Amino acid sequence: GAVVSQHPSWVICKSGTSVKIECRSLDFQATTMFWYRQFPKQSLMLMATSNEGSKATYEQGVEKDKFLINHASLTLSTLTVTSAHPEDSSFYICSARGLAGEPYEQYFGPGTRLTVT
Amino acid sequence: SQQGEEDPQALSIQEGENATMNCSYKTSINNLQWYRQNSGRGLVHLILIRSNEREKHSGRLRVTLDTSKKSSSLLITASRAADTASYFCATDASGGSRLTFGEGTQLTVNP
């Protein structure tokens, strides 16, 4: 149980275009989802926390107009990278926390590799 | 900001040997978690230790926590080539919200 999927697993886009990444909890309802960014050989940096039905909370230094997060249902959150640039190329990982279970349990998706050319 | 620091940054050992990785953090925590990440993949949760616990075991894994020193260690015994991965500690300050990840240790187990 507690499986989180991400789609797509990798995407290549041209500079200036927008890209949407989906994060789904497959077998549980996720009240909270987290979005992380990871540059090569570096650690995960939390970008934002999203709660179902409310606006996302962004970490300091993360542009909310550039990284649009929508958590419209208890099983789906989306991250849209708007007007992507090469410096946005990174590995984006989501995690989800459910209604049941311990509040500290987070389940991570497999990640999405974004390359902006 | 990242509050966790891990050492070593990279560790290379032979199969069968033990691997020890350390993590230090700066603020009070509710719990500390260790994760493994294979190259280009998502994270796999290994073990969680609460702030009131000092040691925890899971299979070949042993985690210690010293809240007075704000540090934790992960020991992998009898390592295998399949243990080759990056290992991250992550602290949870409030028990259910934001995780702050350490810089990670790249472990290579040579067959």
Side-chain angles (χ1 to χ4, degrees):
Chain A
V3 177
V4 175
S5 70
Q6 283 184 240
H7 178 80
S9 55
W10 59 270
V11 57
I12 301 172
C13 70
K14 292 187 177 179
S15 188
T17 61
S18 294
V19 174
K20 181 185 284 188
I21 301 169
E22 293 185 350
C23 177
R24 291 182 185 272
S25 56
L26 298 184
D27 50 2
F28 67 102
Q29 293 182 317
T31 51
T32 305
M33 286 186 171
F34 304 89
W35 286 95
Y36 297 85
R37 180 168 55 184
Q38 185 181 33
F39 291 108
K41 298 190 183 301
Q42 294 189 23
S43 188
L44 280 75
M45 295 286 291
L46 179 65
M47 299 174 67
T49 302
S50 74
N51 292 296
E52 187 266 337
S54 61
K55 289 184 178 180
T57 302
Y58 290 82
E59 295 297 303
Q60 192 173 9
V62 178
E63 300 175 60
K64 61 182 179 181
D65 293 331
K66 181 170 183 62
F67 298 100
L68 301 178
I69 291 172
N70 184 282
H71 192 165
S73 77
L74 285 172
T75 60
L76 173 65
S77 176
T78 60
L79 167 68
T80 301
V81 183
T82 62
S83 187
H85 291 284
E87 57 264 31
D88 299 323
S89 298
S90 188
F91 194 53
Y92 292 87
I93 304 174
C94 72
S95 70
R97 192 175 74 206
L99 285 168
E102 299 290 346
Y104 48 72
E105 287 182 315
Q106 284 187 38
Y107 303 97
F108 283 80
T112 296
R113 174 81 54 197
L114 170 63
T115 302
V116 184
T117 61
Chain B
S1 62
Q2 296 291 314
Q3 72 158 343
E5 296 180 1
E6 293 180 61
D7 75 275
Q9 289 188 333
L11 179 62
S12 181
I13 59 175
Q14 296 298 124
E15 216 167 18
E17 294 180 341
N18 296 341
T20 299
M21 289 158 269
N22 302 296
C23 167
S24 62
Y25 57 92
K26 296 176 182 173
T27 62
S28 297
I29 62 171
N30 176 281
N31 64 77
L32 185 145
Q33 304 175 38
W34 284 90
Y35 289 84
R36 183 183 74 208
Q37 183 182 37
N38 289 83
S39 181
R41 301 292 192 92
L43 273 70
V44 174
H45 183 264
L46 296 177
I47 197 166
L48 178 149
I49 186 165
R50 293 183 175 86
S51 60
N52 61 353
E53 297 176 311
R54 293 295 168 258
E55 188 172 309
K56 208 161 182 183
H57 297 253
S58 177
R60 294 185 295 114
L61 306 180
R62 172 177 169 253
V63 167
T64 63
L65 178 65
D66 187 334
T67 52
S68 66
K69 295 181 179 178
K70 291 186 168 59
S71 67
S72 174
S73 68
L74 170 67
L75 168 67
I76 304 175
T77 60
S79 63
R80 305 166 182 168
D83 294 329
T84 294
S86 292
Y87 291 82
F88 295 94
C89 68
T91 54
D92 181 351
S94 59
S97 59
R98 304 165 66 252
L99 286 180
T100 303
F101 282 83
E103 298 302 316
T105 294
Q106 172 61 50
L107 172 67
T108 302
V109 182
N110 302 298

